Structure formats: structure tokens, C-alpha cells
Amino acid sequence: MSVNLSKGQKISLDKEAGTTLTRITMGLGWDAAKTKGFLGFGSKTEAVDLDASCVMFDENKSTSDIVWFRQLKSKDGSIVHTGDNRTGAGDGDDEQINVDLSTVPAHVKSLVFTVNSFTGQNFSQVENAYCRILNASNNQEVARFNLSVQGSHTAQIMAKLYRHNGEWKMHAIGENGNGRTFDDLMPQISVHL
């Protein structure tokens, strides 16, 4: 049974999954909002290019590695991005980042997932946006966080996975920001480390 997270909520991934998770998938999905035409006729949808990223931080809160559309795999191979979706078209996850929690290097203490509009479109042009965590061994959804807070922001710090007392936990951050890439969000991210 998946848990629907609220902004700021923290959960134990293992407890919610009912088992020790070793591999997870962070899925990001969205749809472009439909615009209404003249007198309600001729509505259309413009493609929206959102990008999921994962920033790895060590115990000193320094960046260890980054996985995003320009680097689809972490240097150690524990995190892999499945590729860039530039439209949001179709059902299900539009982008996925696979994480092998059992091989994330011990010095990495947290993984922060962000979403950015590389083309500069803002979230008022997006609907049905979410991030979710799946148990990659059986594709069961563990947790879901709704990102569809429409507004003029172009980015969001979605969530943080972090080690705590020997297990991985998740913090649904849900903080709006602005920027084309994760790099523009780094000052905001540091507050949550």
C-alpha cells in the first residue's frame, strides 16, 4: 500500500515497503496543461520539458556526484537516469532514476531529487505532476508526492533520501524554486541537508 506524502513529511522506506529495500526507482510524471482557445474552442497542449536530477551529498554536505540528463549514470554506477523526456506526453512516469541503495557508497549520506524546467516554462503550464518511489524488485509503489502546485516557479526540490540509523528514509521537501538545472537550486537544497 503506497503512502501519499504531504510537504515536509518523513517516512521510513523499509517500513512503508514492508521489507528492506535495496533497489528503488524514483519516477517523475507530468502533463502539459491544456490552454483554451477562443471562446473555449481549439484548446491545445504545448510540450513541457521537465528534468529530474539526483544530487548525492556526503557527510560534510558537499556534492559527491550528480545524475541528470547530461550525466545519466553516477561515477560509482549506483544511480542511473533512464533518459530525458522533453514533452511529458503519455501515461505513467515520464522520467525515472534508478537507485541501487545497497551500492550507494558509504560516504554518501543523502540523495536529493529535483525537477527543473530546462526550457523555462513554469509550473502554471504543468498539471498532474508527481514523484514516486517504487520498490524496483517488484515495481510496487512505496510512496507518492504530488508536485502539482501551480505557480510561476520553474523548479522544485522534490524529496531527499537519507541514511538514518542504518536505514534509508524519505523526506518530502516540496520546495518551489527557480532555475533551469539543479545547480540553480543548490543554495535552497543546502538548507535541507
Side-chain angles (χ1 to χ4, degrees), residues 2 8 25 33 46 57 83 91 104 132-133 146 149 180 185 187-188:
S2 176
T25 298
E46 290 186 31
F57 291 94
D91 294 329
V104 171
R132 66 185 186 144
I133 298 292
N146 180 4
V149 180
R180 294 179 52 194
L185 296 174
Q188 282 181 267

Side-chain angles (χ1 to χ4, degrees), residues 21-89:
L21 290 176
T22 55
R23 294 182 308 114
I24 59 113
T25 298
M26 191 289 296
L28 168 66
W30 74 93
D31 295 315
K34 291 182 173 66
T35 58
K36 294 183 176 169
F38 182 68
L39 299 176
F41 296 102
S43 67
K44 64 179 181 172
T45 304
E46 290 186 31
V48 176
D49 181 14
L50 295 183
D51 296 311
S53 303
C54 177
V55 186
M56 303 167 74
F57 291 94
D58 65 19
E59 59 275 350
N60 298 319
K61 301 178 181 179
S62 297
T63 304
S64 173
D65 201 357
I66 301 153
V67 175
W68 61 311
F69 72 90
R70 289 189 176 155
Q71 180 182 314
L72 296 177
K73 188 175 185 180
S74 61
K75 293 175 185 95
D76 59 63
S78 64
I79 301 176
V80 178
H81 194 302
T82 60
D84 190 15
N85 178 321
R86 295 183 179 176
T87 66

Side-chain angles (χ1 to χ4, degrees), residues 69-116:
F69 72 90
R70 289 189 176 155
Q71 180 182 314
L72 296 177
K73 188 175 185 180
S74 61
K75 293 175 185 95
D76 59 63
S78 64
I79 301 176
V80 178
H81 194 302
T82 60
D84 190 15
N85 178 321
R86 295 183 179 176
T87 66
D91 294 329
D93 298 340
D94 295 304
E95 292 192 10
Q96 291 185 329
I97 298 176
N98 296 307
V99 181
D100 186 341
L101 296 171
S102 65
T103 63
V104 171
H107 74 277
V108 174
K109 298 301 178 198
S110 60
L111 310 172
V112 177
F113 294 93
T114 65
V115 58
N116 296 75

